[in-house]
Amino acid sequence: MPAPVADLVLTGARVIDPETGLDAVRAVAVTGGTITAVGEAAPPAREVWDVAGSVLAPGFIDLHSHAQSTTGLRLQALDGVTTALELEAGVLPVAGAYARAAAEGRPVNYGFSASWTDARMHVLDGVPLDADGSLDLFSTHQALPNWRGPAGDRDVARILDLLEGAVADGALGIGVLVGYAPDSGRAEYFRLAGLAARLGVPTFTHTRYISTAEPGTSLEGALEVIAAAAGTGAAMHMCHVNSTSNRMIDEVAGAVDAARATGVRVTTEAYPYGAGATVIGAAFLAPEVLHRMGIGPRRLTYLATGERVADERRLAELRAADPGGDVVVHFLDEEDPADLAVLERSFTLADTAIATDAMPLVSPGGGAAPDVWPPPPGVHTHPRSAGSYARTLRWLVRERGVLTLTEALRRSSLLPAQVLAEAVPAMRRKGRVQAGADADLVVFDPDTVTDRATYAQVAPSTGFRHVLVGGTPVVRDGELQTGALPGRPIRSGDR
């Protein structure tokens, strides 16, 4: 009986599978969106691509992408991403967000958590929840008076009911921007963790504090997550430890390591930049508390105008006029070797996933950029939105040797798949190059792959030769395939 004919075979690449430890030249066969063979000999195929001299690895799984437009996700695909998930902030209603994404089409796989802040805005400030699950609700309603503060037992119950309903609709967990509502109750956070444990889904937390000044340090914020995980048994994910840990990364890393050693289920992520990005109305950017981060207004770049914020008076003006406006926060100086060493230590913490915190594109003068390709001239965003994985491979692997190539690939693919595997059994087929795994694959040149995005310019990464999503090329020979929209939804419970 003749051997089955594969749709596509990629030959000659150095194949790295982070789960089995495979690191050898192999032929990889793909049929119908699934890897059907990984072997020394190439099986019969309708199409064969010679990818000698390249590395073939699992496509990257981004646990933290706010860039959920087609354009934003295309930039991520050119950075090796095959699955981009909005988990830190999340959305409500989640069913509407999935339906809208499916109707529009997506170049990479997508999914959402249930948004705690959206639920609070709805319950405490009466914000209507758009049927299509708008991702703009959080930025649009920053200035409302009640959602940041404590809630009574009845309101907390209503908030948790909304989140439970969203998980039933497929939400991948609960996104908890507690750092934007630092005056919300600790008991509410603990109850939320208990709900997640009962539902069998993780939480994704932007921790309560970013500071080295007592009380309310970055360490205290991390310890709240650890304590909630220990006290409820929930799987709790700490977002961007590189930024929320501030200059306390060593203390935070020690606490996380010790907690994990006792079985506490805490996971972490980081992105390889010394600046963050958020809305200028964030609680931790208020003029009277900004010094707690160890920075002043001049370390903020308001993207609508490109200006470095001159002083506290100007910061107060911008927060009043445009509280949802995007701002880049330079919490570390990337030109300072000592500051870069602090950033590097975020990646020496074991099992820290690479996740981008990708942001939407902003038009000149403010507002969302049009969802068109290529991105129009003059638009801005944080460079992590387009270059996090290429920068990891260039800077942390090739130049600094902080991570081995295999470890960087594990942290970009297998590890994030494992974070979600209990809630989403289908993720056990991602982050791997094995027969039976999903054909979400990236082929790149390890010697030349690089980021090109800067704080002044949006530019895609280069060096990613092919990116396949479910076996469909989204990037081929380094070129984006604009007609390819093979992305599929990732939902809790998917098998």
Side-chain angles (χ1 to χ4, degrees):
M1 184 175 180
V5 176
D7 293 339
L8 171 68
V9 170
L10 300 102
T11 64
R14 174 187 173 188
V15 176
I16 297 179
D17 176 47
E19 185 171 57
T20 63
L22 173 67
D23 185 346
V25 174
R26 292 288 186 269
V28 176
V30 173
T31 303
T34 300
I35 298 171
T36 48
V38 180
E40 295 185 26
R46 295 180 180 87
E47 193 170 0
V48 177
W49 295 357
D50 181 357
V51 290
S54 301
V55 168
L56 186 154
F60 305 150
I61 300 169
D62 187 2
L63 296 172
H64 191 159
S65 174
H66 306 300
Q68 292 291 323
S69 66
T70 303
T71 301
L73 296 177
R74 281 173 168 160
L75 283 169
Q76 291 208 265
L78 286 161
D79 198 36
V81 173
T82 54
T83 299
L85 307 173
E86 165 56 278
L87 301 181
E88 181 214 31
V91 67
L92 283 180
V94 115
Y98 278 111
R100 176 170 48 82
E104 294 174 357
R106 293 290 183 262
V108 303
N109 303 315
Y110 56 91
F112 309 94
S113 72
S115 173
W116 174 74
T117 49
D118 285 9
R120 289 190 118 244
M121 287 177 171
H122 177 69
V123 170
L124 301 177
D125 286 299
V127 173
L129 298 175
D130 296 337
D132 67 349
S134 170
L135 294 169
D136 298 330
L137 191 147
F138 173 73
S139 59
T140 301
H141 299 289
Q142 276 292 304
L144 291 177
N146 300 315
W147 67 273
R148 288 190 176 95
D153 285 347
R154 183 173 297 180
D155 284 338
V156 170
R158 291 175 62 199
I159 291 165
L160 298 185
D161 282 347
L162 284 168
L163 300 177
E164 183 167 0
V167 172
D169 286 338
L172 297 169
I174 301 172
V176 196
L177 293 174
V178 72
Y180 292 81
D183 295 328
S184 60
R186 276 64 168 176
E188 179 182 345
Y189 186 79
F190 190 73
R191 287 175 64 182
L192 184 153
L195 171 67
R198 176 168 63 81
L199 299 178
V201 296
T203 68
F204 303 89
T205 299
H206 177 123
T207 52
R208 196 178 294 269
Y209 303 120
I210 309 176
S211 174
T212 57
E214 297 281 5
T217 66
S218 293
L219 177 60
E220 184 178 334
L223 292 176
E224 180 181 25
V225 179
I226 292 168
T232 65
M236 305 193 70
H237 184 77
M238 230 185 289
C239 297
H240 45 45
V241 294
N242 58 299
S243 61
T244 48
S245 296
N246 199 268
R247 297 177 185 277
M248 301 187 78
I249 185 61
D250 298 321
E251 294 88 343
V252 170
V256 170
D257 277 342
R260 287 174 176 164
T262 65
V264 177
R265 302 168 69 199
V266 178
T267 53
T268 52
E269 66 177 53
Y271 57 83
Y273 292 87
T278 185
V279 292
I280 200 165
F284 49 84
L285 297 184
E288 65 273 16
V289 301
L290 186 61
H291 68 278
R292 292 179 57 80
M293 295 178 64
I295 62 174
R298 290 287 303 170
R299 300 293 285 274
L300 309 179
T301 302
Y302 178 58
L303 290 188
T305 61
E307 69 185 274
R308 285 285 186 130
V309 179
D311 51 32
E312 291 188 359
R313 180 178 177 179
R314 179 59 175 158
L315 177 57
E317 289 175 352
L318 292 171
R319 285 168 59 84
D322 185 20
D326 289 323
V327 62
V328 171
V329 183
H330 296 271
F331 58 91
L332 295 175
D333 181 354
E334 293 183 9
E335 302 301 317
D336 184 338
D339 274 8
L340 280 182
V342 172
L343 178 59
E344 285 183 0
R345 290 205 296 279
S346 301
F347 298 91
T348 60
L349 174 57
D351 291 336
T352 292
I354 309 298
T356 69
D357 199 358
M359 301 293 287
L361 297 174
V362 177
S363 288
D371 194 8
V372 297
W373 190 264
V379 302
H380 293 285
T381 188
H382 192 296
R384 69 192 184 194
S385 309
S388 287
Y389 293 98
R391 182 175 169 90
T392 296
L393 295 169
R394 172 185 64 79
W395 179 50
L396 292 174
V397 175
R398 197 164 68 229
E399 296 176 1
R400 301 293 296 171
V402 174
L403 300 173
T404 66
L405 176 59
T406 298
E407 179 64 6
L409 295 175
R410 185 182 77 90
R411 292 181 180 222
S412 302
S413 58
L414 178 65
L415 185 56
Q418 291 171 329
V419 167
L420 290 168
E422 181 178 346
V424 191
M427 294 304 288
R428 295 175 184 141
R429 295 194 302 273
K430 295 192 183 296
R432 297 150 170 95
V433 185
Q434 301 168 25
D438 293 344
D440 296 342
L441 299 169
V442 61
V443 179
F444 64 95
D445 184 338
D447 297 323
T448 64
V449 64
T450 192
D451 53 308
R452 297 194 304 130
T454 69
Y455 293 103
Q457 179 181 8
V458 175
S461 298
T462 58
F464 291 100
R465 186 171 173 186
H466 306 297
V467 178
L468 278 64
V469 176
T472 298
V474 175
V475 176
R476 183 166 182 184
D477 295 322
E479 297 294 327
L480 182 73
Q481 306 299 292
T482 56
L485 297 172
R488 295 292 179 265
I490 311 292
R491 293 186 175 92
S492 61
D494 278 355
R495 296 183 179 277

